[in-house]
């Protein structure tokens, strides 16, 4: 295993990984549950990936609302400091310093291509007003996939070295799973994103069902669902389930000790779509969540499956 980057003290690194674990537990409920089924030796690295992504995403979602210029500086600072941390100069022990320390160590340990993180930053800049990349809406699914490559597909690709997967079938499946997870989030969060002036589900999909921005905003304000909006969302759910089907064969090539954790995430995110459908696609005025008992049942099933695999 490669040495950790020079300039990062062991105590600081312990603190950095602990901070990333806290971010995962606080903000990534489904993600965090799934990581509990991963081997402990790999869990800290998965937390580091999430911690960095969560930190930058919060800059975009929170800071950009009131101060887009500060958000641009924050995103670019995280990017610059990650590369500095990889060179041994992570800077002060502030929130950014903690996440880049953990991520730099993870990148070095598992030899993750840094280009994945550059692509992630580019997609985050697409969310911030005032950047050349900014896009509050997407016309076509092709346009959206350009965004999702950096914001979702690379997350799956980053995980492969951590999970010790080198099967040639794995990268396309991992990228598809990342996109399936993100499309699920886009469907669940349509109402919240509208409040931020964003719309990720492409305009061509909405318009095919006679839906425009004004209708979506009217539905959010009135807490009423127009049948056209419901049909458009049902189509978006069907497209997302197709991405899960593309990703599912990749589960078979995962090592036995890894598969239960990833399958748990696969199942739990899919259950979010179930809850969206069960609510009558009421995503404009509420947030679909998977009941705790359902999450517990999925976790128990995968834990038992993992135990049986380990006993072979």
């Amino acid at each position: 295993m490669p040495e950790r980057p020079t300039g990062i003290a062991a105590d600081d690194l312990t603190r950095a990984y602990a901070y990333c674990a806290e971010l995962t537990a606080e903000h990534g409920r489904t993600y965090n549950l799934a990581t509990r089924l991963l081997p402990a030796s790999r869990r800290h690295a998965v937390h580091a990936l999430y911690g960095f992504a969560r930190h930058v995403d919060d800059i975009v979602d929170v800071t950009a609302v009131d101060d887009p210029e500060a958000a641009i500086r924050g995103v670019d600072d995280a990017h610059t400091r990650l590369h500095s941390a990889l060179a041994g100069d992570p800077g002060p022990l502030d929130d950014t310093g903690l996440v880049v320390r953990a991520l730099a160590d993870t990148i070095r340990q598992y030899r993750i291509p840094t280009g994945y993180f550059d692509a992630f930053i580019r997609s985050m800049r697409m969310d911030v007003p005032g950047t050349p990349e900014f896009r509050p809406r997407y016309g076509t699914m092709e346009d959206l996939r350009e965004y999702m490559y950096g914001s979702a597909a690379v997350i799956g690709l980053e995980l492969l070295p951590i999970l010790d997967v080198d099967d040639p079938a794995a990268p396309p499946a991992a990228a598809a799973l990342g996109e399936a997870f993100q499309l699920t989030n886009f469907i669940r969060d349509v109402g919240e994103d509208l409040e931020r002036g964003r719309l990720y589900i492409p305009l061509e999909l909405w318009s095919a069902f006679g839906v425009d921005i004004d209708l979506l905003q009217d539905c959010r304000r009135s807490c009423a669902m127009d049948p056209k909006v419901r049909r458009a969302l049902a189509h978006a759910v069907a497209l997302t389930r197709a991405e899960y089907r593309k990703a599912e064969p990749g589960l078979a090539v995962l090592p036995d000790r890894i598969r239960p954790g990833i399958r748990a995430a696969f199942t739990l995110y899919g259950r979010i779509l179930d809850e969206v459908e069960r609510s009558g696609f009421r995503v404009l005025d509420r947030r679909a969540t998977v009941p705790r008992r359902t999450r517990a049942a999925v976790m128990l099933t995968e834990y038992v499956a993992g135990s049986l695999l380990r006993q072979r």
Side-chain angles (χ1 to χ4, degrees):
M1 185 175 291
E3 296 177 1
R4 63 173 58 103
T6 58
I8 300 182
D11 288 347
D12 291 347
L13 195 56
T14 298
R15 180 178 166 187
Y17 276 118
Y19 179 68
C20 290
E22 291 169 7
L23 286 177
T24 307
E26 182 178 356
H27 298 286
R29 182 165 50 187
T30 299
Y31 190 92
N32 187 53
L33 279 173
T35 63
R36 294 182 187 180
L37 294 175
L38 297 175
S41 61
R42 309 284 168 142
R43 207 175 299 151
H44 72 286
V46 177
H47 290 159
L49 294 184
Y50 182 91
F52 180 77
R54 178 80 253 176
H55 176 72
V56 176
D57 197 53
D58 280 348
I59 293 171
V60 171
D61 284 344
V62 179
T63 308
V65 173
D66 298 318
D67 193 344
E69 290 185 1
I72 295 170
R73 291 194 299 271
V75 170
D76 289 347
D77 179 60
H79 190 204
T80 299
R81 289 180 63 183
L82 172 60
H83 282 277
S84 295
L86 287 165
D89 182 19
L93 273 168
D94 54 8
D95 291 350
T96 301
L98 289 170
V99 296
V100 300
R101 279 170 169 81
L103 184 57
D105 187 62
T106 293
I107 289 170
R108 290 285 295 271
Q109 283 188 52
Y110 295 99
R111 298 182 174 90
I112 304 172
T114 57
Y116 292 156
F117 303 95
D118 298 336
F120 169 74
I121 291 294
R122 182 178 185 277
S123 289
M124 294 302 96
R125 287 175 61 86
M126 293 169 75
D127 282 332
V128 183
T131 66
E133 300 91 346
F134 177 56
R135 295 189 194 178
R137 296 167 190 162
Y138 293 84
T140 67
M141 185 59 75
E142 183 179 352
D143 294 336
L144 182 61
R145 289 193 188 281
E146 180 186 349
Y147 171 83
M148 289 197 299
Y149 173 74
S151 64
V154 298
I155 305 300
L157 296 172
E158 290 161 9
L159 281 168
L160 294 180
I162 295 172
L163 303 180
D164 196 23
V165 180
D166 59 6
D167 191 290
L177 187 57
E179 291 191 2
F181 287 169
Q182 183 148 71
L183 286 168
T184 300
N185 289 339
F186 289 158
I187 292 167
R188 180 194 61 192
D189 297 340
V190 170
E192 294 177 12
D193 288 332
L194 275 174
E195 287 295 307
R196 299 188 181 107
R198 301 182 200 156
L199 187 64
Y200 292 99
I201 297 175
L203 296 175
E204 68 174 4
L205 187 154
W206 294 114
S207 63
F209 292 88
V211 178
D212 58 18
I213 299 294
D214 289 340
L215 178 57
L216 289 171
Q217 291 174 336
D218 286 345
C219 289
R220 178 164 174 79
R221 282 192 295 266
S222 65
C223 299
M225 281 295 290
D226 186 285
K228 295 191 292 290
V229 174
R230 188 176 289 111
R231 287 195 291 271
L233 287 167
H235 184 63
V237 167
L239 291 177
T240 303
R241 291 198 188 281
E243 290 298 315
Y244 282 101
R245 289 193 294 273
K246 284 166 56 178
E248 189 167 16
L251 298 175
V253 304
L254 295 173
D256 288 349
R257 66 189 184 283
I258 297 296
R259 193 178 309 125
I262 304 304
R263 182 171 285 281
F266 178 94
T267 302
L268 288 170
Y269 268 90
R271 295 294 174 86
I272 293 173
L273 296 179
D274 295 342
E275 295 302 319
V276 167
E277 291 175 324
R278 191 170 291 115
S279 74
F281 301 94
R282 294 290 297 272
V283 295
L284 288 166
D285 62 332
R286 64 193 67 180
R287 182 184 178 91
T289 59
V290 179
R292 184 176 299 177
R293 64 182 179 277
T294 302
R295 297 198 305 269
V298 169
M299 291 291 290
L300 179 60
T301 298
E302 295 301 336
Y303 176 79
V304 170
S307 297
L308 293 173
L309 287 171
R310 288 190 292 271
Q311 291 171 16
R312 285 182 178 177

